[in-house]
Amino acid sequence: MEDDPPSNDPTPDDDRYELAASYSAEKAGDAIVIYEAGDVKHAEGQNGFDLDNAHFLASGTKSFSGVMAWAAAADGLLDIDAPVSDVIPEWANDEAKASITLYQLLTLTSGLDPGSPGEASSFEEALARDLVHAPGESFRYGPGAFQAFGGVLTQALNDEGPTDYLQRRILDPIGASFDRWNRVDGDPQLAGGAFLTADDWLRFGQLILQDGSWNGTQVLPSGLQDALLQTPDAAPGYGLTFWVNAPLSSDDAFLDDAPVSPDGDGSGGFLYADGPSDILMAAGLFNQRLYVIPSRDMVVVRFGRADPSWSDAEFLARVLDGEDIERPSARRGDQRAENLDLIANLRVTQLTNELDLTPDQRATLQPIIKEHTETMSELLGPFRSDDRLRPLQRLRLLRQIRNQQEATDEAIEAVLTEEQVERYRELRNEEREMWREQR
C-alpha cells in the first residue's frame, strides 16, 4: 500500500492559537486575546495577570492619535494633509515649521525634535521644539510629535481635551473606555500614557478592522484602513501612527531609527516576511501589541513584561500560520541600551507624576535611576536564560537584587522631601503587592 501524499491543509486554528498563546506566556506575557472571523477565539490572562485588569500600553498609546486625527478630519476640525500652521499661528511665523503637515507630524517625518523615548513633555513644550531635519526628509521616533499633536488637537477642540474627545467620539460608540492616563504638567501623555483592558483595546482594533464601522453604524468614515496603511517615502515601515508590514531595503535609513526589529533584513516584510502586507501594529515597551490584519479578519491583543527575546515575526508565524519558528535578529542586542534608557526615562516620568518632582529633583534622580536600571538588567539576566540556577546561585542573586533596590531607594529618598518620601514608600509597597499578585 502506497503512503498517503503529504497534506497541504493549513494548521488547525486551535493549534495556531495555542502556539501563539504559549509563545506569549514564555516571553513574560500577561494576556493574549485573539479575534478572528467574527469571534474571540482565544483569551487568557498569563503568569498570574487578571484578564479584566487594565494594563499599561506604553507606546501602544501612540496609535490612538492617528485615529483621532481621522475622526477630527471627519468632524471638520483638522485637515490631515494641511499644514499644522493653519491651526498653530506660531508655526506660521516660523519659516522652518510653516510647511509641516499634520500627516508628516503623525508619520514622524516632520523633522520636529522627537525628544528622548519615554520622556514626554507638555503640549506647549513639544510645539516649541526645534527641527532636527527638513520636513519629510527622514524618520525620527520619539514622543515629541504626539505631544505636539495633542497641542494641535486641543487648539482645534477649544473646550474639550484630547482624551475626552477620544472617549466621546471613538470609544463610547464601541463600548470601550480607558482606565486612566498618565499626564505631564496636566497634559495627557499621548505618546505612552494609556491604561486599557485587553477587551477595550481589542474593540479599538475591531473598529479599525471594520474600517470605522460598528454594529452596522459608521462611527468613522470608511477609508480608515487605507489611511493608516499609507506610508511616506521617508518611513516605509510606519504609516499613520501604526507600524506596517511593508517590504524594505536592508540599507534603508528608516531602520536606523526604528525601535522595532525587522524580520531578517526587512526585504520580505518589515514585521513578518511571510505575512500579508496589510498588517497594522501598535507597539509598546515590554512588547505590548495590538495587531490588526484585515486580510485575515483578525485582531490580536498581547500584554507583557520585559523580555528581550520577543520577536514579532516568531509570534505572527504562530498565530497566522501555525509555524513554530525561530528567527535570528541581529538588532535585538543592539537595542538593549536604547531599551534601558527608555525604561529609566519611564520610571523618572512616573515618579515625577506620582511625587510632583521639581525639575532639579528630576535632574538629580535621572542618573540614579539609569544606573539602577542597568545594574538590575545585569542581575536579572541569569533568570531569563535557559540555564537552571542552582539554589545557592539563586539565593545569592536574590540577595544582590534586594541590596541593589534598597540602595537605590535610599538614594532616591535622599533627594525627596518628607512628604514625598512617605508617598514614595507607599508607591513601593503598592508595587511589591502587585508583583506578588502576578507571581
Side-chain angles (χ1 to χ4, degrees):
M1 180 177 177
E2 294 183 3
D3 292 336
D4 291 334
S7 172
N8 292 320
D9 292 339
T11 303
D13 291 341
D14 288 347
D15 290 353
R16 289 192 288 115
Y17 307 146
E18 288 296 338
L19 273 174
S22 295
Y23 182 84
S24 174
E26 291 166 4
K27 306 294 183 183
D30 284 330
I32 182 171
V33 181
I34 302 171
Y35 172 95
E36 188 174 15
D39 290 305
V40 173
K41 303 294 188 180
H42 190 101
E44 66 176 61
Q46 299 182 318
N47 296 308
F49 183 80
D50 187 334
L51 190 61
D52 293 329
N53 286 348
H55 200 285
F56 185 41
L57 303 191
S59 288
T61 303
K62 290 178 170 67
S63 296
F64 289 118
S65 290
V67 180
M68 281 196 285
W70 185 254
D75 295 343
L77 299 171
L78 296 172
D79 183 339
I80 293 175
D81 295 317
V84 172
S85 56
D86 287 356
V87 181
I88 305 297
E90 295 82 0
W91 281 29
N93 299 324
D94 185 327
E95 185 178 352
K97 294 180 179 178
S99 66
I100 294 172
T101 65
L102 187 59
Y103 177 73
Q104 288 173 327
L105 189 69
L106 292 177
T107 56
L108 308 186
T109 59
S110 68
L112 193 70
D113 182 353
S116 300
E119 195 171 3
S121 59
S122 69
F123 295 166
E124 183 179 0
E125 290 171 335
L127 286 168
R129 288 183 179 275
D130 294 328
L131 300 191
V132 295
H133 63 71
E137 184 176 87
S138 64
F139 174 83
R140 290 291 185 275
Y141 183 81
F146 300 94
Q147 297 306 99
F149 170 68
V152 176
L153 186 56
T154 298
Q155 183 70 22
L157 290 169
N158 293 321
D159 296 330
E160 188 176 25
T163 54
D164 293 329
Y165 179 71
L166 171 66
Q167 185 62 59
R168 174 183 64 81
R169 182 66 175 83
I170 298 168
L171 299 183
D172 280 345
I174 63 176
S177 63
F178 58 83
D179 181 78
R180 60 192 185 279
W181 209 293
N182 285 341
R183 293 177 177 269
V184 178
D185 295 337
D187 293 331
Q189 279 184 262
L190 298 184
F195 289 75
L196 270 74
T197 65
D199 179 67
D200 287 330
W201 210 16
L202 178 74
R203 286 170 179 265
F204 178 70
Q206 287 175 269
L207 180 66
I208 297 169
L209 180 70
Q210 292 151 193
D211 204 26
S213 175
W214 191 265
N215 291 337
T217 299
Q218 204 69 39
V219 174
L220 299 172
S222 61
L224 173 62
Q225 284 179 17
D226 289 341
L228 300 178
L229 282 164
Q230 180 184 346
T231 62
D233 291 341
Y238 195 79
L240 193 68
T241 71
F242 279 83
W243 302 97
V244 301
N245 195 39
L248 309 180
S249 169
S250 60
D251 60 355
D252 198 301
F254 165 77
L255 293 173
D256 295 337
D257 206 60
V260 175
S261 294
D263 185 15
D265 62 6
S267 61
F270 176 48
L271 304 176
Y272 174 40
D274 299 322
S277 61
D278 63 348
I279 298 174
L280 288 163
M281 181 181 79
L285 181 69
F286 300 154
N287 310 311
Q288 320 311 327
R289 295 291 189 266
L290 173 68
Y291 303 97
V292 180
I293 312 171
S295 60
R296 294 291 294 265
D297 196 11
M298 178 181 282
V299 180
V300 181
V301 169
R302 193 270 178 174
F303 292 153
R305 285 164 288 115
D307 190 317
S309 66
W310 170 272
S311 162
D312 289 299
E314 291 174 5
F315 178 78
L316 288 167
R318 287 159 174 76
V319 75
L320 290 174
D321 300 325
E323 294 185 5
D324 188 357
I325 64 171
E326 202 171 316
R327 287 278 211 261
S329 177
R331 300 192 71 216
R332 288 187 203 168
D334 296 340
Q335 290 179 310
R336 178 178 175 275
E338 294 177 17
N339 289 338
L340 290 178
D341 283 346
L342 178 55
I343 294 167
N345 288 337
L346 285 169
R347 182 59 169 173
V348 172
T349 299
Q350 179 198 22
L351 293 181
T352 299
N353 292 334
E354 294 281 353
L355 307 178
D356 194 21
L357 298 178
T358 67
D360 285 346
Q361 286 177 318
R362 181 177 179 128
T364 303
L365 290 179
Q366 186 82 34
I368 294 172
I369 291 173
K370 182 177 180 181
E371 181 181 355
H372 173 74
T373 303
E374 293 171 349
T375 303
M376 289 293 282
S377 179
E378 295 296 333
L379 290 174
L380 290 170
F383 289 100
R384 301 190 190 105
S385 69
D386 295 331
D387 298 331
R388 288 187 177 277
L389 292 171
R390 294 193 297 273
L392 285 178
Q393 287 178 305
R394 184 181 181 84
L395 285 173
R396 188 179 299 113
L397 277 171
L398 289 173
R399 189 179 300 114
Q400 288 178 285
I401 289 169
R402 184 179 66 247
N403 291 342
Q404 171 63 30
Q405 185 62 64
E406 288 175 353
T408 299
D409 287 340
E410 184 177 345
I412 289 174
E413 290 183 6
V415 180
L416 307 178
T417 66
E418 289 185 10
E419 185 178 346
Q420 288 172 324
V421 167
E422 184 177 347
R423 174 59 191 131
Y424 178 71
R425 290 177 180 176
E426 290 174 356
L427 177 65
R428 291 287 298 121
N429 286 333
E430 291 167 7
E431 290 170 342
R432 291 187 192 98
E433 185 61 32
M434 184 182 301
W435 175 253
R436 292 190 193 100
E437 290 174 0
Q438 294 185 10
R439 289 293 290 170

